[in-house]
Structures are given as structure tokens and as C-alpha cells.
Amino acid sequence: MFDVSVQYIQSVHCLYPIGRLETTQSKHFEDTIKKCLERETFLVINFSACPYLSSSGIRVLLNTSRELASAGGQLVLTGLSSEMLQVLQIAGLDSVFEICADDVQAVTCIEQCLSLIHISEPTRLLSISYAVFCLKKKQTLQH
């Protein structure tokens, strides 16, 4: 059985997939995410209760990340098992996704991004703000 629990942590939308995310469940997962994307630009997905992530689940994550980034937001993954992390690393996707150890670290990362964007938006051009956001994301990935 597969389900997705939804919670807010400090006003950040957090999703918790529960059970194996097989190909047959990816549509339910995608639909749940799409509902969130109607009103959110930052999203945390915690996989601690999800022991398996299919390639179609990874496709959903890639599309979500792309959509959030185009809206100036970010997808942050947490609670990845060592096996899931290894699959993302082998596929070279660990550099595509923001990956944090837990929800608290993910929310802190998002808050830093939001404050950086908030500070830079009123005084700078959008392209400069985006460059600063990308630089900050790159620095976060290196730590």
C-alpha cells in the first residue's frame, strides 16, 4: 500500500510518501505533488517511510524540481535511505536535487533561500537575483 502524508513545518509544505513508490503508484504521487504546486514554490519530500523509489518516481521528482525552479522555488529531498542516495549518485542526480539529512535542515535551507531572494529582489534585476540564488544553491551542495 502507498500513500502520501502532508504536513507543514514552519510554513513549508512537506510530503511524506509512505510505502514503496512503484511505477503503479507514481501517478498518485504526481497528482499529490501537482496539488501542492498550485500554491507552493518550495517543497520538501521526506522519504524516510518509503523504502523504494522507482524510475517513474524519479521522473516525477525531476519534473517537480524543474517546475519549482522555473517558478523561483526549490525541491528538497530528505530521509533518503543509503540505497536511494546511491542510486541518485550513480545516475548523477545528487547534483540536481537539493538533499538534506532531515526536515529541519531542509526548512533551514529553504528559509535561507527565501531570505536571500527577498533581500536581492527589491534592489536588483531578476537575472542577478537568479544568479545569486544559483550561487547559494551551489555552495549549499558543496557542504
Side-chain angles (χ1 to χ4, degrees), residues 33-133:
I33 289 174
K34 283 184 178 184
K35 288 179 187 174
C36 295
L37 296 182
E38 291 173 1
R39 57 189 181 278
E40 303 294 335
T41 53
F42 289 87
L43 184 63
V44 174
I45 303 178
N46 183 318
F47 285 95
S48 60
C50 180
Y52 177 79
L53 177 63
S54 69
S55 59
S56 58
I58 293 172
R59 178 192 54 80
V60 171
L61 294 177
L62 284 168
N63 289 339
T64 302
S65 180
R66 188 176 310 121
E67 190 170 338
L68 288 170
S70 70
Q74 183 178 33
L75 172 64
V76 182
L77 307 180
T78 68
L80 294 171
S81 68
S82 59
E83 292 84 8
M84 280 187 203
L85 184 57
Q86 185 178 25
V87 167
L88 294 178
Q89 289 171 335
I90 289 170
L93 297 174
D94 58 323
S95 62
V96 172
F97 298 118
E98 183 72 35
I99 300 172
C100 293
D102 57 34
D103 295 344
V104 173
Q105 185 183 16
V107 169
T108 301
C109 177
I110 288 171
E111 288 174 342
Q112 289 172 347
C113 289
L114 285 172
S115 64
L116 180 63
I117 291 170
H118 177 74
I119 290 168
S120 62
E121 284 299 324
T123 58
R124 307 209 188 274
L125 297 174
L126 184 58
S127 60
I128 294 173
S129 293
Y130 182 73
V132 171
F133 175 78

